Amino acid sequence: MKTINPLLLSILISLLSSISWATSAHIHENFLQCLSHQVPNSNSFSKVIYTPHNSSYASILQSFIRNLRFTTPVTPKPLVIITPLQEAHIQAAIYCAKEHGMNFRVRSGGHDYEGLSYVSYEVPFVIVDLVYFQSITIDVENSTAWVQAGATIGQLYYRIAEKSKTLGFSAGVCPTVGVGGHFSGGGYGMMSRKYGIAADNIIDARLIDVNGRIHDRKSMGEDLFWAIRGGGGASFGVILAWHIKLVPVPKIVTVFTVNRTLEQNATKLVHRWQYVADKVDDNLLLRLFLRRVNSSTEDGRRTIQASFVSLFLGGVDTLVQLMQESFPELGLVREDCIEMSWIDSILYFADLSGEPLDVLLNRNTSVADYYFKGKSDYATEPISEEGLNRIWKELIAAPIETFEFLFSPFGGRISEISATETPFPHRSGTLYNLHYALVWEEKGSSEFNRHITWIRRFYSFMAPFVSMSPRSAYLNYRDLDLGVNNKGNTSYGQASIWGLKYFGVNFERLAHVKTMVDPGNFFKNEQSIPIL
Ligand SMILES: Cc1cc2nc3c(=O)[nH]c(=O)nc-3n(C[C@H](O)[C@H](O)[C@H](O)COP(=O)(O)OP(=O)(O)OC[C@H]3O[C@@H](n4cnc5c(N)ncnc54)[C@H](O)[C@@H]3O)c2cc1C
């Protein structure tokens, strides 16, 4: 085989990169010119357009990145970031990105597990960051609210509680999650057994389509309105705002966290939990966290700790009675329980107890300080005690430090809704969701490989214990290991590899809606819905 002269190679590389730089610079200039034509005489618009030449470009880009995996020097960076102040700015961005062949990303809270709201592996690309679309209007009389897509769920919860002590909303636990991505991908939280997921409580939406037209539910039609409530917004347009139905909450709710290690009978309790958690009274949601800890009984020995973390929509007396009837094995006593308001329970589950309520307004703009990889599964059958013991053995021996396993129960309202009512198909027959979260701080590719290899192996190891055909996964816990689209267009068959896992029977309808509303496949990413 002929070897290439290193000097020639370096000349070639610099030539190619200067060509690609020149092409990018050309697109970049044309794109910026296009924006200024679309929104003429707008001083305010030019102030919210950031290119790598702006001193604040890096801080704007990083402000909502939650995961160090996507802040490396080789992570693709946007040619332009826009933080629109008005709908016309978003319309201009869509129009000009289409005209000039730019890929398009929209970011709300930036919590996407694979960074798809701010990283595109097809370049060049532009990010529209909805940080200035945060307005929230609460209508107590009708128990509804309009919330703009750039708001966080913490801001939403705060604004609801500001107006009413007896209204709440059913969505996730982490206050900095954005409603743009979270609601369009599902939105599971501590009231989901009582009221369903966030997407089940959306009654209208405003969205900009690929032609820059602004729609509400009526003008977008029921197919598109169906698709954006669980099918992910990014395949269909830019969601501007959601109209949501608020839900009643009692003035007093009760929370508890009970920890049990293997030495304290955790295996039997976890086993039993699988028969109880999806069937118990809908007012009770009993989540289960599993972590490896050092045993307190034997020096240095590792064990598994099961933490039963619960919200009950009612007072402590009823809860203790209910637990004695349905899950006496846990041995819950009054002293384990704390009564509080619903909004204080939001702080409790977010590990913010004791903080002032307005901490919920903090979007936490600090840069990411850890690496993270998440995966998910669904259980449709309980795992046997023998199976649990095998899992514990695997976790205890795992050559990684910080791993968390979370089981979130279904049943109640989530499971009453039919599997085709929204694109979120995990309904009747689903016992619980399994979430695998691996966090590390060590830099470098060998650490990256060590962690990613382990979590992939663990995911394979879990196969016999979870749903199969398809092996279901939760869109909001996005995982590119499940499969990715090609650059350009991807066939329905190829995309089905990951699409059926997230959407089951709904995947085909999603592809029909996509073909209808975005036939040119402008709104695309590594796991966007394909056109037919
Ligand atoms: C720390 C943490 C805690 C979490 N807790 C929960 C939880 O309790 N329950 C749960 O169900 N999930 C939870 N999640 C997952 C979370 O719901 C998803 O990651 C969700 O997609 C995040 O939405 P976002 O707007 O913050 O993210 P982004 O990264 O901004 O967006 C996610 C996706 O939605 C698209 N998108 C965002 N805004 C719009 C818009 N306006 N129009 C169209 N498309 C849009 C993006 O392009 C991207 O594809 C958590 C995630 C993290 C990191």
Side-chain angles (χ1 to χ4, degrees):
M1 193 174 71
K2 266 190 174 176
T3 52
I4 300 177
N5 176 329
L7 181 63
L8 185 63
L9 187 64
S10 75
I11 292 172
L12 263 175
I13 289 174
S14 70
L15 191 67
L16 281 174
S17 62
S18 67
I19 291 171
S20 103
W21 182 85
T23 316
S24 290
H26 187 63
I27 294 176
H28 177 185
E29 248 169 55
N30 290 345
F31 178 72
L32 293 179
Q33 262 177 21
C34 175
L35 290 178
S36 65
H37 287 142
Q38 286 299 306
V39 190
N41 309 323
S42 172
N43 263 342
S44 64
F45 193 28
S46 58
K47 287 193 187 123
V48 293
I49 299 172
Y50 304 87
T51 71
H53 305 297
N54 292 107
S55 54
S56 31
Y57 167 91
S59 62
I60 299 278
L61 177 62
Q62 304 241 336
S63 54
F64 299 114
I65 297 185
R66 312 284 166 184
N67 190 340
L68 283 178
R69 275 172 61 213
F70 308 113
T71 59
T72 71
V74 293
T75 307
K77 305 284 186 300
L79 214 51
V80 179
I81 307 171
I82 301 173
T83 54
L85 300 168
Q86 308 161 14
E87 291 166 350
H89 297 169
I90 306 173
Q91 290 168 311
I94 294 174
Y95 177 84
C96 296
K98 250 187 343 184
E99 280 294 292
H100 296 285
M102 302 261 283
N103 285 282
F104 184 89
R105 295 293 149 120
V106 56
R107 180 162 71 176
S108 168
H111 282 61
D112 192 279
Y113 275 22
E114 299 284 4
L116 295 193
S117 56
Y118 53 87
V119 180
S120 167
Y121 297 93
E122 278 193 63
V123 289
F125 69 103
V126 53
I127 298 176
V128 168
D129 188 320
L130 297 177
V131 61
Y132 296 124
F133 277 67
Q134 297 184 20
S135 130
I136 297 170
T137 315
I138 309 292
D139 178 349
V140 173
E141 207 175 309
N142 293 304
S143 301
T144 59
W146 272 102
V147 50
Q148 282 191 313
T152 63
I153 54 175
Q155 292 172 325
L156 174 63
Y157 296 153
Y158 179 91
R159 295 294 170 211
I160 297 171
E162 201 178 40
K163 288 275 168 68
S164 165
K165 303 282 170 258
T166 53
L167 288 173
F169 189 65
S170 177
V173 170
C174 170
T176 53
V177 163
V179 306
H182 184 62
F183 292 6
S184 67
Y188 179 98
M190 296 304 289
M191 295 202 292
S192 289
R193 296 196 63 252
K194 177 75 175 177
Y195 296 117
I197 54 173
D200 298 332
N201 293 288
I202 293 170
I203 49 180
D204 202 341
R206 281 169 53 75
L207 167 143
I208 306 190
D209 73 9
V210 67
N211 298 312
R213 283 190 296 251
I214 298 182
H215 296 283
D216 62 5
R217 175 175 183 169
K218 194 159 174 235
S219 70
M220 78 176 81
E222 286 303 304
D223 279 326
L224 180 52
F225 183 63
W226 172 85
I228 57 173
R229 288 174 297 147
S235 299
F236 301 101
V238 175
I239 293 150
L240 295 169
W242 302 107
H243 194 200
I244 56 174
K245 193 173 67 193
L246 304 180
V247 300
V249 294
K251 285 202 172 126
I252 295 292
V253 304
T254 309
V255 302
F256 69 80
T257 300
V258 169
N259 299 321
R260 299 282 187 265
T261 60
L262 296 185
E263 294 70 24
Q264 295 165 317
N265 210 19
T267 308
K268 285 215 177 321
L269 291 173
V270 173
H271 184 249
R272 178 79 191 126
W273 174 90
Q274 300 176 97
Y275 292 86
V276 173
D278 69 311
K279 294 176 194 69
V280 72
D281 188 311
D282 299 358
N283 289 303
L284 178 62
L285 192 140
L286 188 49
R287 244 176 166 185
L288 178 52
F289 291 81
L290 296 155
R291 301 181 186 96
R292 187 176 70 188
V293 296
N294 288 331
S295 165
S296 57
T297 51
E298 289 177 54
D299 278 354
R301 212 181 104 173
R302 289 164 165 180
T303 185
I304 298 296
Q305 176 179 275
S307 298
F308 297 85
V309 177
S310 177
L311 172 69
F312 178 63
L313 297 171
V316 65
D317 294 335
T318 321
L319 171 62
V320 171
Q321 168 93 31
L322 184 64
M323 287 293 287
Q324 267 162 14
E325 286 160 14
S326 50
F327 196 11
E329 299 85 347
L330 189 62
L332 185 80
V333 291
R334 284 184 73 92
E335 292 67 37
D336 295 322
C337 304
I338 315 170
E339 287 189 330
M340 56 179 66
S341 64
W342 169 75
I343 194 68
D344 281 335
S345 79
I346 297 291
L347 296 182
Y348 177 84
F349 295 116
D351 261 340
L352 294 169
S353 291
E355 298 281 340
L357 263 193
D358 60 10
V359 69
L360 295 175
L361 300 176
N362 181 358
R363 296 178 63 102
N364 184 14
T365 49
S366 61
V367 288
D369 55 2
Y370 57 83
Y371 298 85
F372 170 79
K373 172 73 188 168
K375 286 178 168 293
S376 66
D377 264 316
Y378 284 91
T380 48
E381 298 288 336
I383 302 173
S384 66
E385 279 189 42
E386 187 261 327
L388 290 173
N389 280 322
R390 280 178 51 205
I391 296 171
W392 306 157
K393 207 169 149 200
E394 195 70 17
L395 289 178
I396 286 172
I400 41 98
E401 289 72 43
T402 315
F403 176 70
E404 186 182 83
F405 210 4
L406 168 61
F407 292 2
S408 298
F410 276 47
R413 180 69 191 137
I414 323 182
S415 305
E416 281 165 15
I417 296 171
S418 95
T420 54
E421 179 80 23
T422 69
F424 180 89
H426 320 289
R427 305 287 184 170
S428 169
T430 298
L431 296 183
Y432 56 96
N433 171 278
L434 296 87
H435 179 244
Y436 317 109
L438 184 54
V439 169
W440 68 100
E441 288 176 6
E442 302 89 345
K443 294 186 171 43
S445 58
S446 68
E447 286 302 322
F448 173 88
N449 290 335
R450 181 166 77 87
H451 286 89
I452 295 292
T453 305
W454 182 80
I455 197 169
R456 286 180 182 156
R457 275 210 198 116
F458 185 69
Y459 181 75
S460 303
F461 165 83
M462 286 300 294
F465 304 113
V466 294
S467 67
M468 51 185 87
S469 310
R471 184 171 177 182
S472 302
Y474 177 28
L475 178 67
N476 267 347
Y477 299 155
R478 191 194 300 284
D479 179 6
L480 293 187
D481 292 348
L482 301 180
V484 290
N485 291 333
N486 300 328
K487 290 193 172 173
N489 287 340
T490 299
S491 71
Y492 175 79
Q494 189 186 332
S496 298
I497 295 169
W498 53 265
L500 293 175
K501 292 179 192 299
Y502 290 138
F503 306 113
V505 290
N506 298 315
F507 189 51
E508 194 176 341
R509 182 171 174 199
L510 283 169
H512 277 286
V513 179
K514 169 75 178 176
T515 310
M516 188 173 71
V517 303
D518 182 21
N521 200 17
F522 170 71
F523 291 114
K524 63 175 187 289
N525 62 44
E526 287 64 26
Q527 277 186 345
S528 55
I529 305 296
I531 45 175
L532 291 172

